[in-house]
Amino acid sequence: MKKSLIALLLSSVALLSACSASGETKQDAAKAEEIQKIKIGITQIMEHPALDKARESFIEKLKTDGIDAEIIYKNSQGDFSVANTIAQSFMDEKVDLIYAISTPSAQAAKQVTSDVPIVFSAVTDPVQSELEAENITGASDKAPIKTQLELFNKLDKNIKKIGIVYSTSESNSQIQVKQAKEIANELGLEIVDVGVNNINDLPQGIDAMLGKSDAVYMITDNLVANSLQLLTSKTNKAKKILIASYVIDNPESAKSVLLSSGVSYTQFGEKAAEMAEKILKDKVSPSSIPVYYTDESVSYVSMDVAKELGLDENNEVIKNAEKIQ
């Protein structure tokens, strides 16, 4: 009887120990999974269709590739000081990687860390923007300016002065204006540039630019992109050709732009995601991943705007572009 009781007690103890061990194993596994889950901080200077596409396609690409990441998205609403605060907050939240969308966002991230990997997109010139570092790489949206400026005379041989309105606060915009002036001079064209300090100055700046130019070139400027409808409505009303230096991914917005030519920000987001995967999964150093540049270009033409401007549908530029009806 005693032997049976002892055997029963030992069996119960073993069962309880097994249950306890099983419970601990599950808890440990859950903790390990929680610890291993990737945390990515996304900082974006402001919301407009191009930058939004760079963010959305980045997240979608990670999901498609099976990357289970906790995404912390923060937007600085065009305020550079807030961009700095956001970057610092990511350090407090111990993110594994920062995805910085725009030059100011990437510059802010660089200021707060030399250890956490930073992947950027929508940065025109990483070198001149001082975004070269061991922990940084990304996708540049540098436009093929010469090719785009050549489109103006293909659309209208009488165009001599091309207007650019831009934000004086964005270093990437200043770089593009400088490059456009140098290239325009080679092509026998003149750039009429008007800088604005903030969004309140934009309507007057656009009017001043339109009054001095024959056509309009829209560079990758975040302030201007955020006010796309204002620029296109004034330009179309003035019956002047407008060419955007990047693809307008939003169909409704694209209808108001005569010609958008360049690379889609959806592609930039996907390329940035591929870089993030190499860094996080394969433990590749950001400095070993070259910054992505592309010569690929696609053009979209709004047939509604083309008709309003009285342009010939058989024109080489219009004929070879994807049509938006």
Side-chain angles (χ1 to χ4, degrees), residues 137-157:
T137 189
S140 170
D141 62 354
K142 187 175 183 178
I145 296 175
K146 184 175 182 179
T147 302
Q148 292 170 346
L149 291 181
E150 288 174 336
L151 293 174
F152 284 98
N153 280 157
K154 290 180 180 180
L155 286 166
D156 185 348
K157 293 180 180 179

Side-chain angles (χ1 to χ4, degrees), residues 152-153 156-163 184 187-192 212-215:
F152 284 98
N153 280 157
D156 185 348
K157 293 180 180 179
N158 295 317
I159 292 174
K160 299 298 179 186
K161 296 182 178 182
I162 299 172
L187 300 175
L189 299 170
E190 180 184 345
I191 296 296
V192 178
K212 301 174 183 177
S213 59
D214 304 318

Side-chain angles (χ1 to χ4, degrees), residues 196-297:
V196 296
N197 296 320
N198 53 59
I199 197 165
N200 296 323
D201 296 337
L202 198 52
Q204 186 176 353
I206 293 172
D207 290 338
M209 180 263 298
L210 287 171
K212 301 174 183 177
S213 59
D214 304 318
V216 178
Y217 182 48
M218 181 181 170
I219 61 174
T220 54
D221 179 289
N222 292 302
L223 179 67
V224 176
N226 194 42
S227 304
L228 177 63
Q229 294 304 317
L230 174 65
L231 176 63
T232 55
S233 64
K234 283 181 173 291
T235 304
N236 293 339
K237 187 177 180 180
K239 299 293 182 182
K240 294 187 178 181
I241 287 172
L242 183 149
I243 296 177
S245 66
Y246 62 93
V247 171
I248 309 297
D249 287 298
N250 183 294
E252 287 303 311
S253 299
K255 286 181 180 180
S256 66
V257 180
L258 171 63
L259 187 73
S260 61
S261 178
V263 180
S264 167
Y265 277 76
T266 296
Q267 185 178 0
F268 293 137
E270 291 172 348
K271 289 295 181 182
E274 291 174 6
M275 294 176 178
E277 290 174 23
K278 288 180 181 179
I279 293 166
L280 296 170
K281 286 179 64 178
D282 303 330
K283 307 304 178 185
V284 176
S285 169
S287 61
S288 299
I289 304 173
V291 171
Y292 173 75
Y293 296 92
T294 181
D295 292 327
E296 296 176 16
S297 185

Side-chain angles (χ1 to χ4, degrees), residues 16-286:
L16 288 170
S17 298
C19 291
S20 175
S22 176
E24 287 176 1
T25 300
K26 288 180 180 179
Q27 288 178 357
D28 291 342
K31 285 180 180 178
E33 184 179 350
E34 184 178 343
I35 292 170
Q36 291 173 4
K37 189 166 186 178
I38 295 167
K39 187 184 290 187
I40 297 175
I42 299 181
T43 174
Q44 186 171 316
I45 193 63
M46 63 176 63
E47 290 184 345
H48 60 70
L51 299 188
D52 292 345
K53 284 293 182 181
R55 181 186 76 252
E56 292 162 2
S57 60
F58 175 86
I59 296 172
E60 186 59 34
K61 176 67 173 172
L62 292 179
K63 288 181 179 178
T64 301
D65 292 349
I67 305 296
D68 182 20
E70 176 187 350
I71 302 294
I72 305 171
Y73 166 57
K74 297 185 180 183
N75 188 301
S76 53
Q77 302 298 332
D79 190 323
F80 294 178
S81 63
V82 174
N84 293 330
T85 302
I86 289 172
Q88 184 57 59
S89 74
F90 287 156
M91 296 300 96
D92 299 334
E93 296 179 76
K94 294 181 171 53
V95 299
D96 298 297
L97 181 139
I98 296 175
Y99 177 41
I101 307 174
S102 79
T103 300
S105 299
Q107 289 172 328
K110 183 190 175 187
Q111 287 181 9
V112 301
T113 182
S114 58
D115 299 318
V116 176
I118 299 169
V119 176
F120 62 72
S121 70
V123 170
T124 301
D125 194 321
V127 177
Q128 290 196 45
S129 298
E130 299 180 346
L131 288 172
E132 292 182 305
E134 288 294 314
N135 64 320
I136 302 176
T137 189
S140 170
D141 62 354
K142 187 175 183 178
I145 296 175
K146 184 175 182 179
T147 302
Q148 292 170 346
L149 291 181
E150 288 174 336
L151 293 174
F152 284 98
N153 280 157
K154 290 180 180 180
L155 286 166
D156 185 348
K157 293 180 180 179
N158 295 317
I159 292 174
K160 299 298 179 186
K161 296 182 178 182
I162 299 172
I164 299 176
V165 63
Y166 70 99
S167 169
T168 55
S169 301
E170 296 188 37
S171 63
N172 59 301
S173 299
Q174 295 171 23
I175 291 167
Q176 290 175 84
V177 170
K178 183 173 181 277
Q179 292 173 342
K181 285 183 174 181
E182 293 171 354
I183 294 169
N185 186 55
E186 296 173 14
L187 300 175
L189 299 170
E190 180 184 345
I191 296 296
V192 178
D193 61 301
V194 175
V196 296
N197 296 320
N198 53 59
I199 197 165
N200 296 323
D201 296 337
L202 198 52
Q204 186 176 353
I206 293 172
D207 290 338
M209 180 263 298
L210 287 171
K212 301 174 183 177
S213 59
D214 304 318
V216 178
Y217 182 48
M218 181 181 170
I219 61 174
T220 54
D221 179 289
N222 292 302
L223 179 67
V224 176
N226 194 42
S227 304
L228 177 63
Q229 294 304 317
L230 174 65
L231 176 63
T232 55
S233 64
K234 283 181 173 291
T235 304
N236 293 339
K237 187 177 180 180
K239 299 293 182 182
K240 294 187 178 181
I241 287 172
L242 183 149
I243 296 177
S245 66
Y246 62 93
V247 171
I248 309 297
D249 287 298
N250 183 294
E252 287 303 311
S253 299
K255 286 181 180 180
S256 66
V257 180
L258 171 63
L259 187 73
S260 61
S261 178
V263 180
S264 167
Y265 277 76
T266 296
Q267 185 178 0
F268 293 137
E270 291 172 348
K271 289 295 181 182
E274 291 174 6
M275 294 176 178
E277 290 174 23
K278 288 180 181 179
I279 293 166
L280 296 170
K281 286 179 64 178
D282 303 330
K283 307 304 178 185
V284 176
S285 169

